[in-house]
Structures are given as structure tokens and as C-alpha cells.
Amino acid sequence: MITKRKNGVVLNVLAQPGSKDLGLIGIQENRLKIRLTAKAVDGAANNQLCEFLSKKLHISKSSIILTSGALGRRKTLFIEGDSDAILKRLELLLAPPISQ
């Protein structure tokens, strides 16, 4: 699902375009599953996916490169930057909420 590289991280994603709400669902098919409200038309869902991840990971949208899967639900992204910092942010995103 996540592969550390020297200058970034490779992330495998399962996108669900046209969903009622936007959000991170969890892990499915060894990929990070993300619901997108945008339809898979004219790259709108891909654009929303990159925007969503850039906000959640606190990085610029230009640091996220869609390397494969532009026309499908199974996507591979390269996230450029400090791989340790990106991995830490992904870990926090995937951590279950602490109940009180």
C-alpha cells in the first residue's frame, strides 16, 4: 500500500468517485480507500483526490503525482517530499480515533 522512496512515498489508492461524502474509509484490497464526491468526469475525481490528500497531509497539491490509474478506481500516486514526514502523517490519518 505504501512504499518509501528516497525522495517521497508511493501510495496505492482505491478511489470511490460519486460518493455522498468525502473522506478516508480505511484499507481495502491493500490500498487506501477514499470516497470522493466528484464524478469521474474530465479528471474531476482525480483532482479532488489530490486536493484531499494535500490538505490531509499538509503538503502542496503539486507534490502529488498520479503515476497510474487516471481512468480507473485503482490509482498509484507518488507523493514527493520528506518520506519520513509523509509516512508519519499517513500513520496519523490511519490511526483509530481515541475514545473518551
Side-chain angles (χ1 to χ4, degrees):
M1 179 183 83
I2 302 169
T3 307
K4 183 178 176 180
R5 297 281 187 240
K6 185 177 181 179
N7 60 339
V9 171
V10 176
L11 178 64
N12 293 314
V13 172
L14 181 62
Q16 187 177 344
S19 295
K20 183 180 174 184
D21 49 287
L22 174 66
L24 179 65
I25 302 306
I27 308 297
Q28 185 175 325
E29 298 177 22
N30 201 31
R31 293 174 177 269
L32 186 63
K33 185 172 182 180
I34 300 174
R35 285 188 183 151
L36 305 167
T37 56
K39 303 273 187 212
V41 177
D42 296 327
N46 292 334
N47 189 47
Q48 186 179 46
L49 173 63
C50 291
E51 285 178 13
F52 175 79
L53 287 172
S54 73
K55 288 178 184 173
K56 291 292 182 183
L57 298 174
H58 306 285
I59 58 173
S60 68
K61 187 178 163 189
S62 63
S63 297
I64 301 172
I65 302 161
L66 180 62
T67 58
S68 68
L71 300 178
R73 295 181 64 213
R74 290 171 184 81
K75 302 179 184 299
T76 302
L77 305 166
F78 179 71
I79 304 171
E80 190 175 25
D82 180 349
S83 55
D84 289 328
I86 295 167
L87 287 172
K88 184 67 176 170
R89 290 182 194 126
L90 284 167
E91 187 179 292
L92 291 171
L93 276 179
L94 294 170
I98 300 171
S99 53
Q100 297 179 350

